[in-house]
mmCIF file of all heavy atoms in Angstrom:
data_model
loop_
_atom_site.group_PDB
_atom_site.id
_atom_site.type_symbol
_atom_site.label_atom_id
_atom_site.label_comp_id
_atom_site.label_asym_id
_atom_site.label_seq_id
_atom_site.Cartn_x
_atom_site.Cartn_y
_atom_site.Cartn_z
ATOM 1 N N LEU A 10 9.834 16.386 -6.658
ATOM 2 C CA LEU A 10 10.166 16.361 -5.222
ATOM 3 C C LEU A 10 11.232 17.389 -4.890
ATOM 4 O O LEU A 10 11.492 17.618 -3.716
ATOM 5 C CB LEU A 10 10.651 14.945 -4.809
ATOM 6 C CG LEU A 10 9.596 13.850 -4.793
ATOM 7 C CD1 LEU A 10 10.228 12.515 -4.568
ATOM 8 C CD2 LEU A 10 8.516 14.132 -3.747
ATOM 9 N N GLY A 11 11.831 17.975 -5.898
ATOM 10 C CA GLY A 11 12.835 19.041 -5.642
ATOM 11 C C GLY A 11 14.264 18.580 -5.784
ATOM 12 O O GLY A 11 15.213 19.303 -5.399
ATOM 13 N N GLY A 12 14.477 17.371 -6.300
ATOM 14 C CA GLY A 12 15.841 16.858 -6.523
ATOM 15 C C GLY A 12 16.490 16.299 -5.276
ATOM 16 O O GLY A 12 15.842 16.138 -4.228
ATOM 17 N N ILE A 13 17.755 16.009 -5.385
ATOM 18 C CA ILE A 13 18.430 15.254 -4.348
ATOM 19 C C ILE A 13 18.530 15.983 -3.021
ATOM 20 O O ILE A 13 18.486 15.364 -1.956
ATOM 21 C CB ILE A 13 19.840 14.782 -4.844
ATOM 22 C CG1 ILE A 13 20.344 13.619 -3.985
ATOM 23 C CG2 ILE A 13 20.832 15.947 -4.864
ATOM 24 C CD1 ILE A 13 19.493 12.377 -4.099
ATOM 25 N N TYR A 14 18.659 17.307 -3.033
ATOM 26 C CA TYR A 14 18.766 18.002 -1.735
ATOM 27 C C TYR A 14 17.473 17.914 -0.942
ATOM 28 O O TYR A 14 17.509 17.705 0.268
ATOM 29 C CB TYR A 14 19.187 19.477 -1.960
ATOM 30 C CG TYR A 14 20.568 19.578 -2.541
ATOM 31 C CD1 TYR A 14 20.792 20.055 -3.834
ATOM 32 C CD2 TYR A 14 21.661 19.186 -1.789
ATOM 33 C CE1 TYR A 14 22.035 20.154 -4.364
ATOM 34 C CE2 TYR A 14 22.969 19.300 -2.313
ATOM 35 C CZ TYR A 14 23.144 19.770 -3.593
ATOM 36 O OH TYR A 14 24.399 19.837 -4.142
ATOM 37 N N SER A 15 16.338 18.043 -1.644
ATOM 38 C CA SER A 15 15.060 17.887 -0.939
ATOM 39 C C SER A 15 14.851 16.467 -0.477
ATOM 40 O O SER A 15 14.364 16.219 0.601
ATOM 41 C CB SER A 15 13.912 18.356 -1.853
ATOM 42 O OG SER A 15 14.029 19.724 -2.141
ATOM 43 N N ILE A 16 15.168 15.524 -1.351
ATOM 44 C CA ILE A 16 15.053 14.105 -0.996
ATOM 45 C C ILE A 16 15.922 13.782 0.230
ATOM 46 O O ILE A 16 15.473 13.130 1.167
ATOM 47 C CB ILE A 16 15.388 13.193 -2.196
ATOM 48 C CG1 ILE A 16 14.272 13.323 -3.269
ATOM 49 C CG2 ILE A 16 15.583 11.741 -1.758
ATOM 50 C CD1 ILE A 16 14.593 12.707 -4.604
ATOM 51 N N ALA A 17 17.156 14.248 0.227
ATOM 52 C CA ALA A 17 18.054 13.983 1.348
ATOM 53 C C ALA A 17 17.516 14.584 2.658
ATOM 54 O O ALA A 17 17.670 13.984 3.715
ATOM 55 C CB ALA A 17 19.449 14.523 1.052
ATOM 56 N N THR A 18 16.904 15.737 2.573
ATOM 57 C CA THR A 18 16.329 16.363 3.751
ATOM 58 C C THR A 18 15.201 15.538 4.351
ATOM 59 O O THR A 18 15.095 15.346 5.546
ATOM 60 C CB THR A 18 15.829 17.780 3.402
ATOM 61 O OG1 THR A 18 16.968 18.536 2.954
ATOM 62 C CG2 THR A 18 15.244 18.497 4.623
ATOM 63 N N VAL A 19 14.348 15.036 3.454
ATOM 64 C CA VAL A 19 13.216 14.180 3.912
ATOM 65 C C VAL A 19 13.765 12.883 4.451
ATOM 66 O O VAL A 19 13.300 12.397 5.489
ATOM 67 C CB VAL A 19 12.215 13.977 2.739
ATOM 68 C CG1 VAL A 19 11.169 12.916 3.076
ATOM 69 C CG2 VAL A 19 11.567 15.302 2.353
ATOM 70 N N VAL A 20 14.710 12.247 3.777
ATOM 71 C CA VAL A 20 15.304 11.008 4.246
ATOM 72 C C VAL A 20 15.955 11.201 5.630
ATOM 73 O O VAL A 20 15.790 10.356 6.527
ATOM 74 C CB VAL A 20 16.272 10.433 3.235
ATOM 75 C CG1 VAL A 20 17.131 9.286 3.832
ATOM 76 C CG2 VAL A 20 15.567 9.943 1.982
ATOM 77 N N ASP A 21 16.635 12.313 5.805
ATOM 78 C CA ASP A 21 17.266 12.620 7.104
ATOM 79 C C ASP A 21 16.221 12.578 8.233
ATOM 80 O O ASP A 21 16.455 11.963 9.271
ATOM 81 C CB ASP A 21 17.935 13.974 7.018
ATOM 82 C CG ASP A 21 18.673 14.355 8.282
ATOM 83 O OD1 ASP A 21 19.669 13.673 8.593
ATOM 84 O OD2 ASP A 21 18.298 15.359 8.917
ATOM 85 N N ASP A 22 15.109 13.230 8.008
ATOM 86 C CA ASP A 22 14.027 13.250 9.017
ATOM 87 C C ASP A 22 13.460 11.857 9.213
ATOM 88 O O ASP A 22 13.262 11.426 10.374
ATOM 89 C CB ASP A 22 12.930 14.215 8.598
ATOM 90 C CG ASP A 22 11.830 14.303 9.608
ATOM 91 O OD1 ASP A 22 11.968 15.079 10.603
ATOM 92 O OD2 ASP A 22 10.798 13.586 9.447
ATOM 93 N N LEU A 23 13.192 11.144 8.165
ATOM 94 C CA LEU A 23 12.624 9.792 8.273
ATOM 95 C C LEU A 23 13.543 8.871 9.054
ATOM 96 O O LEU A 23 13.094 8.169 9.969
ATOM 97 C CB LEU A 23 12.352 9.213 6.871
ATOM 98 C CG LEU A 23 11.844 7.772 6.892
ATOM 99 C CD1 LEU A 23 10.517 7.648 7.624
ATOM 100 C CD2 LEU A 23 11.752 7.242 5.477
ATOM 101 N N ILE A 24 14.817 8.832 8.725
ATOM 102 C CA ILE A 24 15.723 7.943 9.407
ATOM 103 C C ILE A 24 15.860 8.315 10.867
ATOM 104 O O ILE A 24 15.820 7.436 11.762
ATOM 105 C CB ILE A 24 17.119 7.914 8.722
ATOM 106 C CG1 ILE A 24 16.996 7.437 7.258
ATOM 107 C CG2 ILE A 24 18.106 7.014 9.525
ATOM 108 C CD1 ILE A 24 16.303 6.138 7.045
ATOM 109 N N ASP A 25 15.946 9.604 11.184
ATOM 110 C CA ASP A 25 15.952 10.017 12.607
ATOM 111 C C ASP A 25 14.708 9.526 13.338
ATOM 112 O O ASP A 25 14.751 9.069 14.466
ATOM 113 C CB ASP A 25 16.058 11.534 12.733
ATOM 114 C CG ASP A 25 17.432 12.043 12.414
ATOM 115 O OD1 ASP A 25 18.395 11.289 12.289
ATOM 116 O OD2 ASP A 25 17.569 13.292 12.225
ATOM 117 N N ARG A 26 13.585 9.564 12.637
ATOM 118 C CA ARG A 26 12.285 9.178 13.210
ATOM 119 C C ARG A 26 12.245 7.637 13.474
ATOM 120 O O ARG A 26 11.832 7.213 14.524
ATOM 121 C CB ARG A 26 11.183 9.590 12.246
ATOM 122 C CG ARG A 26 9.785 9.479 12.789
ATOM 123 C CD ARG A 26 8.728 9.919 11.731
ATOM 124 N NE ARG A 26 8.954 11.297 11.279
ATOM 125 C CZ ARG A 26 8.466 12.387 11.908
ATOM 126 N NH1 ARG A 26 7.732 12.255 12.994
ATOM 127 N NH2 ARG A 26 8.648 13.582 11.386
#
Side-chain angles (χ1 to χ4, degrees):
L10 290 171
I13 200 63
Y14 295 112
S15 295
I16 290 169
T18 300
V19 171
V20 168
D21 183 64
D22 181 83
L23 174 63
I24 300 307
D25 286 348
R26 190 180 302 275

